[in-house]
Amino acid sequence: MGNRIPMNGISNNLITISDLSSFDPTHILESGQVFRYYRTESGYKIFSQNLFCSLIYDNARVIIDSNRPEYFYNYFDLGRDYGSIKQKLSVYPNLTEAIEFGKGIRILNQDPAETVISFIISANNNIPRIKKIIERLCVMFGEDMGGYYAFPTAERLAEASIEQLREAGTGYRAEYIKSAALAIKDGFLQSLSGMDTPTARKHLMSQKGIGGKVADCILLFGYHREDVFPTDVWISRVYQKFFAECETCSREQMSKRLVGLFGNLSGYAQQYLFYHIRQTQKNTKQSKTEEQNEQT
DNA sequence: CACCAGGTCTCTC
DNA sequence: GAGAGACATGGT
């Protein structure tokens, strides 16, 4: 029993998702893989490249409304059976809680160039600020689509001056963005799809501002490479807790061992674990500050 | 005013 | 290669 969403669920620019067992907009969007989304009264609005869609909660269903339904069918990875993925991952006891917590997660198929720029910005940064910076880049350099701005093309970003890029709040990452945009414009990403994952990873890491973790995010979210395990501070904590207490392990080592363990399920395992730890930690932080506020 | 944020770069041993 | 520091910026 799978839970792929059939293509025939599309009509009149609407994709209707009736089986929500592996589709939860909040799980998908708040799992740190994407930055251009906004809450609305009825759901979410999500932007990708020069397109957007609306997610609308409709009783026990979710409707995706866009003028490019076939694009967003692929964007939301609707052809994939996440029930089967979760079943395979359920053999790992350390994952069961995280999978239950984020059961509606899916890995989006995002534009590669957009993920390159977005995750260069993500390094040593926090998610609210990442979102703001990307938003400013869209306003400053993205095409005016009439009511919203597209994500800037690599060509346009390559033309931008370092000063302009800094005005968007990118800080020291401005030169990384410019250099990456120039490389993409010159075909840096074209050879990538033919490479195996380790080669593609090294290729990405040849760009300034792209280390192992950012490269893994690009491969997972932009190319749907499943055999990567982006390892940041949060995953590092999970690793210490669930897999091995190792004070001297580098994140690079952890990532390698986790890919060795999870293989082609690595990307999925990572998302469930990341969403779980980050949301629960966020809540404890909130309740702590709330306690402090009550006391004062 | 320190410290932190989905790390990465550079310099040194 | 492994280990320290620096790094723009904005929020607490």
Side-chain angles (χ1 to χ4, degrees):
Chain A
M1 152 207 125
N3 60 354
R4 293 185 183 83
I5 314 292
M7 264 305 236
N8 60 22
I10 301 178
S11 68
N12 292 332
N13 289 350
L14 303 180
I15 305 173
T16 302
I17 298 160
S18 310
D19 178 3
L20 299 181
S21 60
S22 297
F23 189 103
D24 184 315
T26 304
H27 293 180
I28 294 167
L29 298 171
E30 306 272 350
S31 59
Q33 58 179 320
V34 60
F35 303 104
R36 283 206 299 153
Y37 65 92
Y38 306 89
R39 283 216 177 88
T40 64
E41 285 184 9
S42 51
Y44 289 96
K45 208 160 190 176
I46 299 138
F47 297 83
S48 174
Q49 298 187 102
N50 58 353
L51 302 171
F52 79 94
C53 72
S54 299
L55 287 187
I56 301 151
Y57 290 102
D58 177 44
N59 295 319
R61 308 182 304 176
V62 172
I63 294 167
I64 303 171
D65 185 357
S66 77
N67 52 15
R68 288 287 301 282
E70 74 290 349
Y71 177 86
F72 284 103
Y73 182 91
N74 176 62
Y75 180 84
F76 286 104
D77 208 24
L78 294 181
R80 199 177 308 275
D81 181 359
Y82 278 77
S84 158
I85 290 167
K86 286 185 284 188
Q87 195 173 16
K88 286 177 195 161
L89 283 174
S90 66
V91 304
Y92 301 96
N94 293 336
L95 284 184
T96 50
E97 196 181 341
I99 292 171
E100 175 56 26
F101 185 83
K103 53 180 172 288
I105 285 176
R106 310 181 78 82
I107 296 182
L108 299 173
N109 292 301
Q110 302 185 63
D111 177 57
E114 184 167 339
T115 60
V116 168
I117 303 301
S118 298
F119 282 92
I120 284 176
I121 295 167
S122 78
N124 194 26
N125 213 339
N126 58 65
I127 290 178
R129 207 168 83 85
I130 298 165
K131 292 179 73 170
K132 281 180 191 166
I133 292 170
I134 292 174
E135 201 173 317
R136 284 196 286 262
L137 285 179
C138 292
V139 173
M140 291 173 70
F141 306 110
E143 184 184 350
D144 185 349
M145 304 300 292
Y148 69 98
Y149 293 91
F151 194 89
T153 62
E155 289 75 13
R156 182 67 191 87
L157 285 175
E159 287 171 5
S161 68
I162 301 292
E163 292 73 29
Q164 286 178 312
L165 291 171
R166 275 180 183 267
E167 277 175 41
T170 56
Y172 65 86
R173 307 171 192 83
E175 49 192 289
Y176 301 157
I177 293 168
K178 169 120 184 167
S179 134
L182 276 166
I184 293 169
K185 181 187 162 192
D186 291 340
F188 179 74
L189 296 177
Q190 280 166 14
S191 51
L192 209 137
S193 42
M195 300 175 183
D196 62 29
T197 300
T199 310
R201 191 174 192 266
K202 277 177 198 157
H203 182 63
L204 286 168
M205 288 175 71
S206 70
Q207 272 300 310
K208 277 199 180 180
I210 302 182
K213 189 267 175 185
V214 168
D216 287 338
C217 285
I218 294 165
L219 289 169
L220 182 56
F221 306 134
Y223 291 90
H224 212 100
R225 296 287 178 114
E226 297 161 326
D227 50 342
V228 294
F229 210 112
T231 302
D232 64 343
V233 281
W234 298 97
I235 292 297
S236 168
R237 287 167 198 158
V238 171
Y239 184 89
Q240 301 287 347
K241 187 176 169 191
F242 286 151
F243 298 100
E245 287 183 30
C246 180
E247 295 297 329
T248 56
C249 286
S250 68
R251 291 186 199 171
E252 198 68 18
Q253 286 175 312
M254 296 179 196
S255 172
K256 204 167 184 179
R257 290 181 193 180
L258 289 164
V259 172
L261 180 59
F262 289 103
N264 285 332
L265 294 170
S266 295
Y268 304 102
Q270 193 272 358
Q271 279 305 96
Y272 292 118
L273 287 170
F274 175 81
Y275 180 69
H276 180 50
I277 186 169
R278 187 156 180 287
Q279 293 301 318
T280 48
Q281 287 296 109
K282 205 200 282 179
N283 291 338
T284 57
K285 255 188 189 175
Q286 264 176 13
S287 54
K288 269 181 193 169
T289 50
E290 276 164 18
E291 280 170 30
Q292 286 173 352
N293 291 342
E294 280 169 19
Q295 284 170 2
T296 51

